[in-house]
Amino acid sequence: MPWRVGPADRARGVRPDPYRVWLSEVMLQQTTVAAVRDYFARFTALWPTVADLAAAEDGHVMAEWAGLGYYARARNLLKCARVVVAEHGGTFPDTRAALLTLPGIGPYTASAIAAIAFDRPETVVDGNVERVMARLYDIHTPLPAAKPELTARAAELTPQARPGDYAQAVMDLGATICTPRSPACGICPWRTPCVARAEGSAQDLPKKTPKKQKPVRHGVAFIARRSDGALLLERRPASGLLGGTLGWPGTAWVPVGEPKPWAAPPVEGAWRRLPAEALHTFTHFHLRLTVFCAEAIPAEGETIRSAALAPGKSGFVPRADFRPSDLPTVMRKAFDLARSAMDNAP
Ligand code: SF4
């Protein structure tokens, strides 16, 4: 993984760069390594240091984050970088307690940075570590109730020597050997003390409390294209779901069962409703987004760069300045529907 320091470099005394450790840990929250890899490479190429990131334009960072989800992370990323530069001279603090005072750094991330970047003996417990602990000690209490017990067990095992390497090793053990469906116990370094392996219960652990079904919401998005190709975009308000991201003007998203919300289209034009809906699943609900599109609207008025759109504002963005990849996934799905409808229009 590009944010890791390999064994040969570690032996030569190379230490992980706290900026890269922090960036990777924030990106990896709720996201897989495979999804993060390209984003991490792009971010570190664009902004090689925390000072570079702190000086970046908000709209540029939000655009580069587009598609990674959980956009509050991107807003906090910028806030955190600016606090590190303004209040810590561009150097990350090196203790868990001090890291916890920074925006967007919670208990897990603070422990991970303290352990990995600064070799502090902090206990780092992600989903992989929870699975390994549940199996190692054959803990049958379902998650999330089992979390305190799993964390306590993990803490007992955390060594004073090389705690950073240890933290990464246990997470890697869970990701590659003690996998959810078929743990490779035969090659596991903990096969002798592992209770679940001896009991034959490894594949059933950790137990989980069944999840409630997600509710469904619906709403409307309007996609307008002018005769000069400019597209009407809005930047969502800075806080809340998808806060600060680019998207299409539209309605609120309300629970299905309540009347479908309606708002007048944002500009005059020959609006038509697309037959398919854009479907997307967020953490707490499924969304069905009805998409209306209008095209060849006479090109009157100014255009604005997408990065210059302020939160809560909309404006026509020149086609050359618009990249679908700057949109969060749900808005990109709506655009894909509109684009194929507009391109196939008679
Ligand atoms: S022995 Fe098997 S179940 Fe136990 S920790 Fe290793 S891989 Fe997981």
Side-chain angles (χ1 to χ4, degrees):
M1 289 180 241
W3 46 86
R4 291 274 177 90
V5 173
D9 284 338
R10 288 283 279 143
R12 289 208 314 269
V14 177
R15 294 292 311 150
D17 176 354
Y19 169 63
R20 291 167 73 87
V21 173
W22 162 73
L23 185 61
S24 67
E25 287 297 337
V26 174
M27 286 184 165
L28 286 165
Q29 290 163 7
Q30 319 272 350
T31 312
T32 63
V33 169
V36 162
R37 211 177 274 273
D38 288 350
Y39 284 87
F40 182 84
R42 233 181 16 254
F43 267 67
T44 47
L46 284 166
W47 303 295
T49 68
V50 69
D52 297 323
L53 182 60
E57 200 173 23
D58 291 37
H60 191 188
V61 173
M62 296 309 288
E64 291 298 335
W65 191 274
L68 204 51
Y70 301 95
Y71 292 87
R73 291 183 299 168
R75 299 193 299 274
N76 280 329
L77 197 74
L78 265 174
K79 275 192 212 157
C80 182
R82 288 168 184 164
V83 169
V84 169
V85 169
E87 297 177 18
H88 299 273
T91 304
F92 276 86
D94 65 358
T95 63
R96 180 179 188 273
L99 287 160
L100 269 172
T101 66
L102 297 173
I105 297 191
Y108 165 78
T109 307
S111 296
I113 299 170
I116 298 168
F118 301 113
D119 238 354
R120 301 273 180 191
E122 299 293 349
T123 305
V124 186
V125 183
D126 67 354
N128 287 314
V129 177
E130 283 177 349
R131 184 169 58 257
V132 173
M133 292 302 134
R135 290 172 173 174
L136 196 56
Y137 294 101
D138 201 35
I139 294 168
H140 288 242
T141 311
L143 284 166
K147 277 178 186 285
E149 188 179 358
L150 298 173
T151 302
R153 294 293 197 173
E156 285 164 18
L157 290 177
T158 301
Q160 294 296 314
R162 295 171 61 195
D165 285 347
Y166 171 80
Q168 294 173 87
V170 182
M171 288 192 276
D172 287 356
L173 181 76
T176 59
I177 293 178
C178 194
T179 54
R181 285 203 190 84
S182 44
C185 300
I187 57 167
C188 177
W190 273 340
R191 63 188 173 279
T192 304
C194 180
V195 182
R197 187 191 66 80
E199 296 290 328
S201 56
Q203 290 206 353
D204 304 328
L205 297 176
K207 303 255 192 232
K208 290 188 181 161
T209 307
K211 285 192 180 145
K212 277 197 242 146
Q213 273 210 327
K214 289 183 188 185
V216 182
R217 294 190 196 176
H218 58 178
V220 175
F222 295 104
I223 301 182
R225 184 166 71 184
R226 263 184 1 193
S227 56
D228 62 354
L231 290 154
L232 182 61
L233 286 154
E234 75 169 17
R235 189 171 297 285
R236 294 173 70 87
S239 59
L241 186 65
L242 302 182
T245 64
L246 277 182
W248 310 107
T251 66
W253 303 337
V254 302
V256 164
E258 290 181 18
K260 183 171 258 184
W262 179 250
V267 289
E268 284 193 18
W271 289 95
R272 62 197 169 99
R273 177 185 173 147
L274 303 184
E277 295 173 314
L279 306 176
H280 190 69
T281 296
F282 292 95
T283 319
H284 300 297
F285 64 94
H286 301 290
L287 177 67
R288 290 175 14 206
L289 196 58
T290 303
V291 182
F292 284 77
C293 66
E295 54 199 307
I297 297 168
E300 291 165 1
E302 299 286 308
T303 56
I304 181 168
R305 281 173 50 242
S306 59
L309 269 176
K313 299 288 180 209
S314 61
F316 278 97
V317 170
R319 186 65 184 86
D321 183 46
F322 170 71
R323 296 183 305 174
S325 60
D326 291 352
L327 298 171
T329 306
V330 62
M331 296 297 172
R332 203 180 313 160
K333 287 177 179 173
F335 180 65
D336 288 344
L337 289 175
R339 180 162 51 180
S340 61
M342 292 194 282
D343 291 347
N344 294 327

